[in-house]
Structure formats: structure tokens, C-alpha cells
Amino acid sequence: MESKCDDFKLKIQGLADGELDLTDESSSDLFLHLSSCRECREEYHSLMNVKNRIKIEGSKQPSKELFIEFEKRRSSSVIRKIGYLLILVPYIIIVGIGMYELFRDGSEGLLIKSSFLAIITGIIILLIYTIKGRIKESKNDKYKEIIR
Amino acid sequence: MKSKVKQNDIFNWLVKNYYDRVLRTAIYYLRNRSDAEDITQDVFLKAFEKIDFSKTDESKFPILFIMAKNLSLNKIKSKGRQEETLPDWEILSNCYNPESDFDKKQNINEINLILKELKDQDREIILLKHYQDCSYQEISEILNIPIGTVMSRLYSARKKLQTMLKGVNYGE
Ligand SMILES: [Zn+2]
């Protein structure tokens, strides 16, 4: 093969693999060269031969089980979320009402009021940090558990 | 939040498009059919949570491949020796028919012997291309190398393969 042929070797491979950009101008150079160069045509055919010899036949389809398992997981995660909501919402309402009553009443001491405020602030801070962490984790960690 | 119907559609699409290739990956590493099916199921269920489906033009195979490979290797580590070990030709033919055509079996056995002779790097890229049906882009993502390197590595690996195949070839 001439050195000119060497310039085409990767393009010939691309053609055999169906990865050649046919709209690219240099592709027409390749076809022009192929029409006049027997060696490169042979190169293409021998690549196709290798491809055909290692070709994989048939394809397997998933069983229904996979979809059933998916459905199960989906619905269990929905149920979990509903469960959390059912616990959390009334809890917040009860605490809220309690706090409202406590502060409106005014008969309790300043110490109790400020301790309650501190507890609530603490819970809110922890909650915000947990949620923030979760969001960060799910955003950045596309390749979590994955080692190359 | 995505609706439930839409999530099902996306999952079905993912499985329909990649199931066979992911199963092949798991079978290749595990050499065991039922374990491979379990791992494949795991891969899809886990991958669904991880994959960014908003990028519609990007292949999801690289992440599925990497997950299938890692889960398979972990399984081997935790399980030790396999009780059922598929023969090479069955793994490479993607065909479980024991009465499969004799010539075909012969051909695959030959190719398998040659693949074993290749250097790891060459074998890896040949398998990704021919056995996992990867595009250049997919190989580039899986091996974490530029597309230009994929093309030149594939080219030189194939050249070696061609030369070796000629050695055992009985003419066209
Ligand atoms: Zn030429």
C-alpha cells in the first residue's frame, strides 16, 4: 500500500462499521479513491469478512418478571412517600398548634419558650442539611458505585 | 414529578433498547446464565434511578455496561466459584442451543482461541465492538479515551486479528 492509502485506512474502517459521516466532504475523496484503488477495496472486504465471522446472532428478550419487579419497586416507593406524608404533616400541625398556644398564652416562662425555639431551629437546620446533602448526592453521583 | 405512566414508558424503552446487550455483558463476565439474568435485572432497576433521561441523544449503554461489569465482578468475588460455567462458544455465540450447527461452533471456537492470544487491550476493544455492538462513541465513553484513539486502537487490534484468522483460514 502507498502512503496515500494509509490516510484512508481509518475511513475505510469507519465505512465498514457504518460510522462514516457521508455528508463530510472527505468521504467523497474516499469513494473516489476506492473506485481507483484495488488494495483499499480489498482492505474493505477483508474488514467486512472479519466482521461477519465474529457476528453475534439472535437477541434475548427480558422476562415479564423484570417489569413486575419494576412496578413493585415503583409502588412501594410511592407508598413509602405517602406514609411519610401521613406521619409528617399531622406532626407538624400538632407542633405548630402547640407552639402557637404556648406563645399566645404568655403564662409560661421565658426559659421554656426560648428552649422550644432552640429545639425547633435545631430540627429545621438538620432537616435543611439532610435535604441539601441528598440533592447534591443525587445530582453529582451519576457514577456512584461505579469503578471503571 | 414524572407521572407513573411516563416512568413506565421510560423504563420499558430502556429495557427494550439495551436488555440484550447488558445481558451479554453479564454473561461474558459471569459465564452463568441465571446469575447473569439476575444481575441484568439489578442493573436496569438501579440504572433507572441514575440515568439522566433528559439527554435523549446520548447512548445509555456506557453506564449500563459499566454497572453490569462491576456488579458481575462483585458477584464473582462474593460467590467464589460458579456451579454452572458456560463454554466459551456459548458465551460468544449468544446462542444457547446445544444442537447448534457444527460449523458455527467450530468457527466460534477458532475465533475464541485467537481472541485469547490477543493482548488484553486488543481483546477488550474487539469484544466491545463485535460482541457488545458498541459504537465508537460508546467505546470512547466506556474506556474513557478519545474517539480518535478508539479508531486507531480498533484498527490495529483488527489487523492482528485478521492476520491470525488468515493463519487458520481455509480460504474464502
Ligand atoms: Zn488505496
Side-chain angles (χ1 to χ4, degrees):
Chain A
M1 262 196 236
E2 310 163 32
S3 65
K4 199 185 169 197
C5 294
D6 279 348
D7 299 342
F8 287 109
K9 62 183 190 185
L10 291 185
K11 285 211 178 296
I12 291 169
Q13 177 179 248
L15 182 67
D17 286 332
E19 299 235 15
L20 195 69
D21 180 7
L22 296 174
T23 58
D24 188 33
E25 218 176 289
S26 64
S27 296
S28 47
D29 293 345
L30 170 68
F31 290 119
L32 206 65
H33 179 78
L34 278 175
S35 67
S36 65
C37 176
R38 216 187 80 188
E39 275 164 69
C40 281
R41 280 203 301 273
E42 273 166 11
E43 165 94 1
Y44 172 75
H45 288 303
S46 76
L47 261 174
M48 289 307 280
N49 270 336
V50 174
K51 270 181 73 99
N52 287 333
R53 279 197 73 176
I54 332 183
K55 204 166 73 185
I56 301 290
E57 282 167 42
S59 80
K60 299 277 172 306
Q61 289 310 309
S63 64
K64 284 214 173 69
E65 232 177 279
L66 176 57
F67 299 102
I68 294 167
E69 187 61 31
F70 177 72
E71 281 285 336
K72 259 202 278 185
R73 291 207 185 183
R74 285 285 102 188
S75 40
S76 76
S77 90
V78 169
I79 288 167
R80 247 198 332 261
K81 274 174 198 150
I82 293 171
Y84 283 137
L85 274 180
L86 282 178
I87 294 169
L88 219 63
V89 170
Y91 177 78
I92 289 168
I93 291 171
I94 289 167
V95 172
I97 291 171
M99 290 301 287
Y100 176 73
E101 290 293 322
L102 182 71
F103 282 93
R104 201 193 51 157
D105 202 357
S107 59
E108 259 78 24
L110 193 68
L111 190 66
I112 294 180
K113 280 183 188 173
S114 43
S115 328
F116 265 106
L117 261 182
I119 290 170
I120 296 292
T121 321
I123 290 173
I124 290 172
I125 289 173
L126 286 180
L127 213 68
I128 288 171
Y129 265 80
T130 320
I131 292 170
K132 252 190 167 174
R134 277 287 177 86
I135 290 171
K136 224 180 179 179
E137 197 177 84
S138 65
K139 263 190 188 157
N140 298 346
D141 248 0
K142 190 175 161 192
Y143 291 97
K144 202 174 75 177
E145 290 168 28
I146 289 170
I147 330 133
R148 278 181 196 278
Chain B
M1 208 164 113
K2 281 178 259 171
S3 76
K4 209 177 161 217
V5 178
K6 210 176 161 207
Q7 294 220 347
N8 279 349
D9 285 348
I10 295 171
F11 186 74
N12 288 353
W13 171 86
L14 187 72
V15 173
K16 194 175 159 256
N17 277 280
Y18 296 105
Y19 185 83
D20 184 57
R21 297 169 72 195
V22 173
L23 180 65
R24 242 183 268 166
T25 305
I27 286 178
Y28 178 75
Y29 287 104
L30 289 163
R31 310 183 75 89
N32 175 306
R33 216 170 304 156
S34 64
D35 282 355
E37 275 164 11
D38 291 349
I39 291 286
T40 303
Q41 175 160 327
D42 247 32
V43 167
F44 280 101
L45 295 172
K46 283 189 178 152
F48 185 74
E49 310 294 332
K50 282 184 202 300
I51 289 177
D52 179 2
F53 290 100
S54 63
K55 292 176 186 155
T56 48
D57 57 340
E58 145 188 295
S59 166
K60 311 300 175 205
F61 187 66
I63 186 171
L64 292 169
F65 174 88
I66 292 166
M67 285 177 81
K69 180 180 172 184
N70 289 334
L71 288 175
S72 300
L73 296 180
N74 284 347
K75 177 113 188 168
I76 292 171
K77 239 186 261 164
S78 71
K79 213 177 162 187
R81 279 235 60 72
Q82 299 283 344
E83 58 272 4
E84 181 211 356
T85 306
L86 291 175
D88 292 332
W89 79 269
E90 264 197 56
I91 290 170
L92 288 173
S93 67
N94 194 34
C95 160
Y96 305 139
N97 178 9
E99 276 132 49
S100 189
D101 178 347
F102 179 79
D103 286 348
K104 222 195 272 171
K105 226 172 180 173
Q106 186 96 341
N107 176 44
I108 293 164
N109 277 334
E110 274 172 20
I111 287 165
N112 182 51
L113 284 177
I114 291 169
L115 285 174
K116 281 185 175 162
E117 297 280 310
L118 289 175
K119 277 193 212 123
D120 287 350
Q121 204 189 49
D122 291 331
R123 183 175 48 247
E124 185 179 38
I125 204 158
I126 292 276
L127 286 172
L128 283 171
K129 180 70 212 154
H130 293 279
Y131 183 65
Q132 318 289 358
D133 268 334
C134 286
S135 67
Y136 295 167
Q137 176 63 38
E138 288 171 339
I139 297 176
S140 135
E141 283 175 44
I142 289 169
L143 298 180
N144 212 6
I145 52 176
I147 291 206
T149 314
V150 171
M151 293 195 279
S152 51
R153 244 191 230 179
L154 193 58
Y155 186 84
S156 78
R158 273 170 167 162
K159 278 285 141 199
K160 287 172 203 162
L161 188 71
Q162 263 174 341
T163 321
M164 289 162 123
L165 273 172
K166 262 181 206 146
V168 291
N169 221 342
Y170 24 82
E172 295 302 327

